[in-house]
Amino acid sequence: MHAYRTHTCGALRATDAGQTVKLSGWVHRKRDHGGLLFVDLRDHYGITQITLHPGWPGYDVVDKARVESVVTIIGEVTARSPETINPNLPTGEVEVFPKDSDAGHGVTLQSAAQELPLPVAGDAEYPEDIRLRYRYLDLRRDRVHANIMLRAKVITSIRNRMVEQGFTEFQTPILTASSPEGARDYLVPSRVHPGKFYALPQAPQMFKQLLMVAGFDRYFQIAPCFRDEDGRADRSPGEFYQLDFEMSFVTQEDVFQAIEPVLHGIFEEFADWQGRGRTVSASPFVRIPYRESMLKYGSDKPDLRNPILISDVSSHFEGSGFGLFAGIVAGGDVVRAIPAPNTADKSRKFFTDMNDWARTEGHAGLGYITQKNGELGGPIAKNHGEEATRKLVEALGLGPNDGIFFAAGKELAAAKLAGAARTRIGTELGLIDESRFEFCWIVDFPMFEYDEDAKKVDFSHNPFSMPQGELEALNTQNPLDILAYQYDIVCNGIELCSGAIRNHKPEIMYKAFEIAGYSQADVDTNFAGMINAFKFGAPPHGGAAPGVDRMVMLLASEPNIREVTLFPLNGKAEDLMMGAPSFPTARQMKELNLRSTAEAPKVAPKVVAPE
C-alpha cells in the first residue's frame, strides 16, 4: 500500500464499499455528535467523510487535532444508509471507518495545525490584508481554489487552440531595455555595468515584432508583463499575464479571423462553469468604430448587455429657452442624452441623486427630464418648452414613462460623463443581463490625439501602429483626422485585448513620431533594436494581446482580478506574505554600486530578561 494514499478524497463511490483504503488530507471540519465524531477530510480533489467512535483506532488523535491538521487515514469504505447520503458531495454515498491494519495505524498525524488566523471552511468574507498575508490558507478555500483551477484550465485551452491555429509558442526576454510605452518601468540594476539598469518588459511588443522580422510566421506566448502602475479592480499592480500573439503577412481581417475562434471557443467552453448556464454572443463579433462607440456608449469599452443608447441632442438646444444648454451649444460644445427607461415610478430623489453623483465625479452636474404617463417634469422641460421637449422625446424614440438625463460640455468630457451615467443607470434599473458574455471589436481608433496638458499632438493608442493611408496620410492629412489599424476586443465593458497592424516601414515610423514631437534621433535611441531591424526587410505584420487575468475574472464572475491570481500584490503593490518590496542589505547595495536616499527603518534591539 502507498505511503500516503490509495485514493484521493474525491475518488470513492458506492462501488468501492468494502475496500480498505488509505487517504491523506486536511481536517476540513469536525462534528462531534455525542461521542460519534465525523470528520470531513479534504484534499485538492474533494472531500470524504471519516466516521470515528470513541475507543476506535485514531479517535483520540483526530479529536485533539485542530482543523487544517494533515492526517493519513487507513480504513474501510462503507455505504451510507439512504437517509444519511449527502447529495452535494460526489463521495456522499460512502464514509470511511478507520482501522489499524498491516499497512499502518488507522490515523496518523502528519502535521499539526496551529490556531488559524483565517478559517478555511465556509464562505465568510475576511479583510484583504489577512487574506493576502496568509494566502496559502486563502487558496485552500473552495471559491479561490476553484478560481485558480479555472485559470489553469483556461490557459491550457488557450495553448491548445493557438497551436491548432498554427501558432508556435516562444519565450521572450524578461531583462530588457527601458522604452517609453505609456507606463512606468520596473528597473533592475546591473551589477556588472555600474549605473546601468535593465527594465522588466511592459509587454513583449518589440520582441514579438522582431520575431516576425526574424521569419517566424505565427508567434504566441502566455506572457508576463510588468508595469509600475496603480492597481484597480481589473488591473493588477506590478504584474499581469496576456495571450501575446503576432502574425506575418496579414491584414486586420486576418488577425480577427485568427483570434475570434480562440476567444469565442474559450468562453463557450467555460460559459457553464459551475452550472452557471451563461451564453456567449455569436461570432463574428460586432465591429464598432471608435467614434461611434464614444457617441452611443460614451466609452471605447462598451457593455453591450446594457440596452441604453446615448444620443447627441445638441441641435435641439440651439436657441433654446434653456439658456445653459443653448449657451454650451453656441460655444461649439455638445449635449448628450441618456435615456432612463421606465422611471415613472422613481421619486425625484432618484434623479437628484444622479445629479449629485455627477458632481462628486468632478462634473458640473447631470440635468434631467422626467415623464409620468407622458406628463413632463423637471426644470429643463419647463425652460425648454413643452413643444420642443416633446419633439426631443419623439426624436429619441422614448415612451411616456421614460426619463432622460443630459451630459453637456466639451465633447470628450460630455461623452465620458454620459458613458458613466449610462452604466450607473443600467445597473440601478437592473437592465444588465449577468448571464451573457457580449463581445465586440472597437476599430478605427484615431492615430493621434491632442494632449491638453502638454499642448501637443501625441499618440492616442499604440505608437507602432500602421496609419490608414500610410505615409501619404501622414504627409497630407490633419493628424487628428488620421485613423489607424488599431483595435480592441471588449467583453461586458472590460477591455480584453488591444492590438494593431504594425508600422513596419522605417520612413512611416519616423514620420509618425515626428508628428508626435519626436526626432529621428529619439526613435533611433529609444527603439534602436526594432527600427534597425526594419531596415533589413520587415514583413507586414500584426497581432494583439488578450489579457488572461481579465478573461478568467469574467469567466469566474469575480469583481476583482486578485480573486483569480495565485499570489497577488495588494493595492499598494506589496506582497504581504513574502514581505516585498524590502530594503536591500548594505552589501547588496555596494555590489550594485547604488546608494539610497531612503533609510531602512531601525529595528529596536531585543530586550533580554535577566536570568
Side-chain angles (χ1 to χ4, degrees), residues 31 40 48-51 78-86 89 91-95:
R31 303 180 301 282
D40 289 340
T48 296
Q49 179 171 292
I50 312 299
T51 305
T78 303
R80 295 198 203 184
S81 59
E83 65 274 11
T84 63
I85 288 174
N86 184 347
L89 284 179
T91 61
E93 293 183 298
V94 298
E95 55 191 336

Side-chain angles (χ1 to χ4, degrees), residues 3-10 22-29 39-48 50 62 65-74 107-113 140:
Y4 299 111
R5 61 188 180 190
T6 59
H7 298 74
T8 70
C9 293
K22 182 182 285 188
L23 307 176
S24 289
W26 287 262
V27 176
H28 187 63
R29 286 189 180 93
V39 174
D40 289 340
L41 189 68
R42 184 197 76 245
D43 66 6
H44 171 75
Y45 302 96
I47 288 176
T48 296
I50 312 299
V62 176
R66 287 192 175 97
V67 292
E68 294 307 303
S69 294
V70 178
V71 297
T72 296
I73 305 287
I74 297 175
V107 178
T108 302
L109 179 66
Q110 302 289 359
S111 177
R140 296 180 191 175

